[in-house]
C-alpha cells in the first residue's frame, strides 16, 4: 500500500460553479486490478496538480473487509452495484451528492435512479458490463451461449475451465441454470444449485481471477468471466468468444464512491466530477473495454468499442439479461453457506 499526504483542495461549491478547480495534494484510489487507465490518471494529475496512488483489490468482499478494518488512507473505492447498499448501510460512504456536480448532466438517464443509489447521492458510474462465459472455439465448436459450459461442460472442455471466484455472479448463473429466480430463497432450488456446483467443480481446473495470458497460453479453454475481460482476451487471441447464457445472465455496474474516512475528500469529489466528462469516461472504457454510463462518450471511442459483441448485446439475448441487485441478508447467508462448501 502506498502512503499518502493530506490534500488541500478547492471547495465543492467552487467545483459546482466553475466546473474546473485547482487542487493540490494526493488522491488514493482503491479499485479492481487492471481496471484503471493510466492515461486517465495522468490527465487528472495534470489538470488538478494532484498525485494519484492506486491500490488494487480482487473482489468486492476483499474491498469491503479492508474498509471495515479501517486504518487506511483510501479516498475512492469502486464497489459493484450489488454491494453499494451494504457500504451505505454500514456508514462507510460519504454522501457527496454527485447529482449536484457540474458534469452530472452527462449521465445516461438509465443509470440515475438506480436501486442501489437512487438519484445518485453517493456514487457515479465507473463501468458496466455483463457476466457470461468465455470459450475457445478451436477447442469447442458448440454453442457458447449457455451456463452448461461450466456447469455441464462438454468433454472437450473438462479440466480446462476456470471459474471466477465471485459468489454473486456464479450463484446467479447457476440459480438461473437450475430454473430459479434472482435471490431465490427456495430451498429446493438452492439444494439443486449446491449439488450442481459440487458436481461441476471437479471438471474445472481453477477458480481464479485470470489474466489474458492464462487463456492465450492455453492454460484455460473456457470459463466464467466478465464481458470486458473477454473482449480483451479476444483482441489478443481471436479464437475466443463471449457467450451470453440463454438461461440468464447478470448485468452489473461498478461505481466510484468516496469513503467517509477519506483524508482527501475534495480531491475525491473532483475525481467523481472528472469521470462524468464524456472524453474522460471514454478513456476509462478504452482501457478495460466496458460501457461507462456517460452520454457522449461514444464520440471519443474507437470503432471496435462501438461494435464489439461483448458490449453490444445480440438482440436475441437482450431479454435474457437482468440488472442484479443486492440479495436480502437471509438469502446471502444461504448463498454463503453453499459458496463455502464449493470453496473447500
Amino acid at each position: 500500500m502506498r502512503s499518502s499526504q493530506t490534500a488541500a483542495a478547492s471547495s465543492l461549491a467552487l467545483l459546482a460553479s466553475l466546473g474546473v478547480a485547482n487542487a493540490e495534494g494526493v488522491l488514493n484510489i482503491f479499485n479492481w486490478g487492471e481496471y484503471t487507465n493510466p492515461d486517465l490518471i495522468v490527465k487528472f494529475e495534470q489538470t488538478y496538480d494532484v498525485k494519484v496512488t492506486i491500490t488494487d483489490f480482487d473482489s468486492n468482499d476483499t474491498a469491503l473487509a479492508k474498509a471495515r478494518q479501517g486504518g487506511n488512507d483510501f479516498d475512492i473505492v469502486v464497489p459493484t452495484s450489488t454491494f453499494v447498499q451494504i457500504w451505505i448501510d454500514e456508514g462507510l460512504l460519504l454522501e457527496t451528492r454527485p447529482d449536484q456536480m457540474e458534469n452530472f448532466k452527462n449521465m445516461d438517464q438509465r443509470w440515475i435512479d438506480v436501486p442501489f443509489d437512487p438519484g445518485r447521492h453517493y456514487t457515479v458510474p465507473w463501468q458496466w458490463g455483463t457476466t457470461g462465459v468465455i470459450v475457445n472455439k478451436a477447442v469447442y465448436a458448440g454453442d457458447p451461449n449457455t451456463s452448461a459450459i461450466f456447469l455441464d461442460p462438454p468433454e472437450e472442455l473438462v479440466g480446462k475451465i476456470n471459474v471466477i471466484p465471485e459468489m454473486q455472479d456464479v450463484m446467479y448463473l447457476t440459480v438461473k441454470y437450475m430454473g430459479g429466480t434472482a435471490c431465490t430463497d427456495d430451498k429446493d432450488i438452492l439444494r439443486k444449485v449446491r449439488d450442481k456446483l459440487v458436481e461441476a467443480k471437479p471438471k474445472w481446473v481453477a477458480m481464479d481471477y485470470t489474466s489474458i495470458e492464462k487463456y492465450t497460453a492455453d492454460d484455460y479453454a473456457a470459463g466464467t468471466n466478465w464481458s470486458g475481460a473477454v473482449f480483451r482476451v479476444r483482441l489478443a487471441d481471436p479464437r475466443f468468444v463471449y457467450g451470453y447464457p440463454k438461461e440468464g445472465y447478470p448485468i452489473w455496474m461498478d461505481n466510484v464512491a468516496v469513503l467517509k474516512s477519506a483524508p482527501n475528500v475534495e480531491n475525491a469529489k473532483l475525481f467523481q466530477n472528472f469521470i462524468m466528462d464524456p472524453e474522460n469516461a471514454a478513456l476509462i472504457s478504452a482501457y478495460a473495454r466496458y460501457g461507462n454510463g456517460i452520454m457522449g462518450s461514444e464520440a471519443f471511442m474507437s470503432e471496435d468499442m462501438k461494435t464489439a459483441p461483448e458490449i453490444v448485446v445480440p438482440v436475441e439475448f437482450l431479454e435474457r439479461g437482468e440488472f442484479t441487485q443486492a440479495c436480502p441478508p437471509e438469502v446471502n447467508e444461504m448463498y454463503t453457506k453453499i459458496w463455502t462448501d464449493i470453496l473447500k
Side-chain angles (χ1 to χ4, degrees):
M1 186 185 304
R2 301 177 180 90
S3 61
S4 67
Q5 303 172 11
T6 303
S10 301
S11 68
L12 180 59
L14 182 58
L15 169 62
S17 62
L18 299 180
V20 176
N22 293 320
E24 296 176 343
V26 299
L27 177 68
N28 301 311
I29 298 175
F30 194 32
N31 199 358
W32 296 80
E34 295 297 317
Y35 208 36
T36 309
N37 190 338
D39 293 338
L40 176 83
I41 299 305
V42 169
K43 184 177 181 181
F44 180 80
E45 289 179 325
Q46 293 177 345
T47 301
Y48 296 111
D49 191 24
V50 170
K51 176 61 179 175
V52 177
T53 63
I54 299 174
T55 303
D56 296 342
F57 60 80
D58 60 7
S59 73
N60 280 294
D61 289 313
T62 299
L64 186 58
K66 186 70 174 177
R68 284 168 170 164
Q69 290 172 2
N72 61 72
D73 290 323
F74 301 140
D75 300 303
I76 292 284
V77 68
V78 189
T80 303
S81 44
T82 50
F83 273 71
V84 169
Q85 192 62 54
I86 299 173
W87 288 79
I88 293 173
D89 289 347
E90 294 192 12
L92 296 171
L93 300 184
L94 187 67
E95 189 174 12
T96 54
R97 298 307 300 264
D99 59 314
Q100 297 178 6
M101 296 179 182
E102 184 202 9
N103 285 332
F104 185 75
K105 63 182 182 291
N106 299 316
M107 193 182 297
D108 190 327
Q109 290 292 319
R110 174 187 180 189
W111 301 114
I112 293 178
D113 282 317
V114 288
F116 58 86
D117 184 13
R120 294 287 184 172
H121 288 194
Y122 292 87
T123 66
V124 301
W126 180 252
Q127 294 182 95
W128 71 270
T130 61
T131 306
V133 297
I134 179 173
V135 177
N136 184 334
K137 294 294 284 184
V139 176
Y140 176 66
D143 181 15
N145 297 295
T146 172
S147 288
I149 292 295
F150 76 100
L151 292 172
D152 284 304
E155 190 61 35
E156 299 97 312
L157 298 176
V158 172
K160 304 172 184 176
I161 297 167
N162 177 69
V163 173
I164 52 175
E166 274 289 323
M167 181 183 76
Q168 298 291 348
D169 286 332
V170 176
M171 286 295 293
Y172 180 94
L173 290 169
T174 310
V175 165
K176 297 296 285 188
Y177 185 74
M178 301 310 296
T181 57
C183 294
T184 183
D185 60 358
D186 186 313
K187 289 183 172 56
D188 288 336
I189 288 290
L190 292 179
R191 188 175 302 110
K192 292 177 182 178
V193 165
R194 180 195 176 279
D195 291 347
K196 176 56 64 178
L197 286 169
V198 169
E199 173 194 321
K201 187 181 178 183
K203 302 174 185 178
W204 308 338
V205 67
M207 292 183 70
D208 195 13
Y209 298 99
T210 62
S211 63
I212 293 173
E213 290 73 24
K214 288 285 188 178
Y215 288 100
T216 59
D218 293 328
D219 292 333
Y220 307 142
T224 59
N225 215 331
W226 299 295
S227 51
V230 180
F231 189 175
R232 298 195 299 275
V233 172
R234 177 174 63 80
L235 289 175
D237 189 337
R239 294 178 300 166
F240 289 90
V241 297
Y242 184 62
Y244 292 90
K246 58 191 175 186
E247 302 86 9
Y249 61 88
I251 304 169
W252 47 264
M253 171 170 273
D254 292 331
N255 307 268
V256 169
V258 179
L259 287 163
K260 186 169 286 186
S261 59
N264 307 294
V265 169
E266 298 307 326
N267 287 346
K269 291 176 181 177
L270 284 175
F271 190 77
Q272 283 188 312
N273 186 65
F274 180 77
I275 63 173
M276 288 190 287
D277 177 273
E279 189 170 357
N280 298 332
L283 282 174
I284 298 172
S285 293
Y287 185 75
R289 298 290 182 164
Y290 294 95
N292 57 59
I294 301 300
M295 295 184 300
S297 62
E298 297 83 1
F300 302 97
M301 291 184 185
S302 60
E303 285 303 314
D304 61 359
M305 286 290 294
K306 300 174 185 178
T307 59
E310 298 88 354
I311 295 177
V312 183
V313 182
V315 174
E316 63 268 32
F317 296 111
L318 278 173
E319 294 185 359
R320 304 288 185 175
E322 180 180 8
F323 189 74
T324 51
Q325 301 182 33
C327 296
E330 60 273 17
V331 173
N332 265 331
E333 184 177 344
M334 289 188 283
Y335 281 18
T336 300
K337 288 180 180 178
I338 293 173
W339 194 244
T340 300
D341 285 344
I342 304 308
L343 293 178
K344 290 178 181 176

